Amino acid sequence: MKKLSALVCVLCICCTFFVTGCSNTDSNLTQSSTQPVTVSHVMPDENGKISSTLLDSNDMYTQYAPDDTNQEYPITQYECEKDGTVITGDLFEYDSNHNEIKRTHYEGDILDYIDVSEYDEQNRIIRITSFAGEVRRENLVSTCVMEYDSNNNEIKSTTYDSENTLAFYDETTYVLINGNYEAESCTYYNNDDTISEKIVYSYRQDGTMSKEIRTVYKGKKVKYYCQTAYDMNGDMVSYTYFDKNNNKIPEPKEEKEYY
């Protein structure tokens, strides 16, 4: 099974102009005072290509800032054909704390979306906004706001649509294992507060994950379960589906289509 991806929130631009009025969230959050760091991106040529001599063994091109000696913060990344034709591309911008504040995604030479992020003074991401194309109010897709506990664990994220209407939200609980906080459960809610999915995690004493049980709901009733087992290194080794009565079943069609 391809592991469950959490419900994705698309990222936001640090332009308060576009964020104001786009979310029902806490307007008193303190934003990071750091300024964006400007870097020139390598762009495809007029034929939509990157020189094939720049590609790695996976036909990827990644550009880093000159002072990023550890190559931790890519500023440009392209997935290409063997001849360098760009399939997809991402341009990244960071603030002076190396927080990613903007991601511009291309499909070929078509601008697909722009994700922009805001951070608080503790460098915690607090708001993520997504635009379908250029950053304009009419292109706004969604706004996602994060909340944290006193231990800096993200405990809730809430996503609003382009009309500032609640779309969905999730809540996460944590357990302390060997001095580290690990996710104990994640619950995903629809806009009517019904549960769409819930994941419960189990760990070994050393903190590696041993088991994950994901429950999928339809309305207020359980639709099916998926139990995933992990080896001693925390790598997935098997997954099994069960119906609401705990009878083993084949992988549901919707799972195959989703992943």
Side-chain angles (χ1 to χ4, degrees):
M1 179 191 73
K2 303 89 177 177
K3 291 174 60 179
L4 172 74
S5 298
L7 294 174
V8 176
C9 300
V10 266
L11 295 175
C12 63
I13 198 161
C14 357
C15 265
T16 306
F17 171 81
F18 291 105
V19 174
T20 302
C22 295
S23 165
N24 278 329
T25 59
D26 188 350
S27 60
N28 295 318
L29 287 171
T30 303
Q31 297 179 10
S32 173
S33 61
T34 55
Q35 297 299 312
V37 175
T38 302
V39 181
S40 297
H41 298 278
V42 170
M43 302 298 291
D45 63 20
E46 64 274 11
N47 297 313
K49 293 184 177 182
I50 295 294
S51 173
S52 59
T53 60
L54 299 176
L55 304 183
D56 63 19
S57 59
N58 295 314
D59 299 321
M60 297 286 296
Y61 169 73
T62 305
Q63 175 192 8
Y64 297 92
D67 61 346
D68 184 8
T69 56
N70 294 325
Q71 297 191 338
E72 297 179 274
Y73 308 102
I75 58 175
T76 309
Q77 194 163 56
Y78 296 109
E79 177 188 2
C80 302
E81 302 284 1
K82 292 289 186 183
D83 66 353
T85 300
V86 173
I87 302 172
T88 63
D90 290 286
L91 310 182
F92 304 92
E93 295 179 24
Y94 303 88
D95 65 20
S96 58
N97 289 330
H98 291 124
N99 297 313
E100 182 187 307
I101 57 174
K102 184 178 180 181
R103 174 184 299 205
T104 303
H105 180 77
Y106 289 87
E107 290 290 329
D109 59 355
I110 304 299
L111 174 58
D112 190 25
Y113 63 82
I114 293 179
D115 291 347
V116 190
S117 306
E118 294 178 64
Y119 300 79
D120 63 15
E121 292 296 340
Q122 295 175 266
N123 290 311
R124 301 181 304 192
I125 188 167
I126 57 174
R127 184 176 285 121
I128 306 177
T129 308
S130 179
F131 299 86
E134 296 291 347
V135 179
R136 301 191 183 102
R137 177 61 183 85
E138 61 268 25
N139 292 337
L140 176 66
V141 175
S142 62
T143 304
C144 179
V145 176
M146 291 75 168
E147 299 175 33
Y148 299 83
D149 63 18
S150 58
N151 296 306
N152 293 323
N153 297 311
E154 183 183 319
I155 57 174
K156 185 176 183 179
S157 66
T158 305
T159 299
Y160 300 89
D161 64 19
S162 61
E163 300 303 320
N164 194 30
T165 300
L166 176 64
F168 53 84
Y169 64 99
D170 62 74
E171 296 179 334
T172 304
T173 62
Y174 295 84
V175 60
L176 186 61
I177 302 177
N178 289 336
N180 296 314
Y181 286 97
E182 305 290 351
E184 184 176 35
S185 68
C186 295
T187 306
Y188 301 91
Y189 295 88
N190 301 305
N191 59 4
D192 61 358
D193 295 327
T194 57
I195 299 175
S196 60
E197 291 190 3
K198 182 173 183 178
I199 310 173
V200 177
Y201 305 95
S202 298
Y203 300 89
R204 299 180 180 85
Q205 291 185 346
D206 64 359
T208 58
M209 189 180 297
S210 61
K211 185 172 63 175
E212 169 189 306
I213 298 178
R214 178 165 58 93
T215 305
V216 178
Y217 293 82
K218 183 177 183 180
K220 296 182 179 181
K221 297 182 179 181
V222 172
K223 189 175 182 181
Y224 58 84
Y225 304 90
C226 180
Q227 180 172 305
T228 305
Y230 297 86
D231 63 19
M232 298 299 291
N233 295 317
D235 297 321
M236 186 190 72
V237 293
S238 67
Y239 62 94
T240 308
Y241 288 92
F242 301 89
D243 64 18
K244 61 182 180 181
N245 297 314
N246 287 318
N247 297 310
K248 188 174 179 180
I249 60 172
E251 182 176 12
K253 181 180 179 181
E254 65 187 73
E255 295 275 309
K256 296 178 181 179
E257 293 176 347
Y258 180 80
Y259 294 110

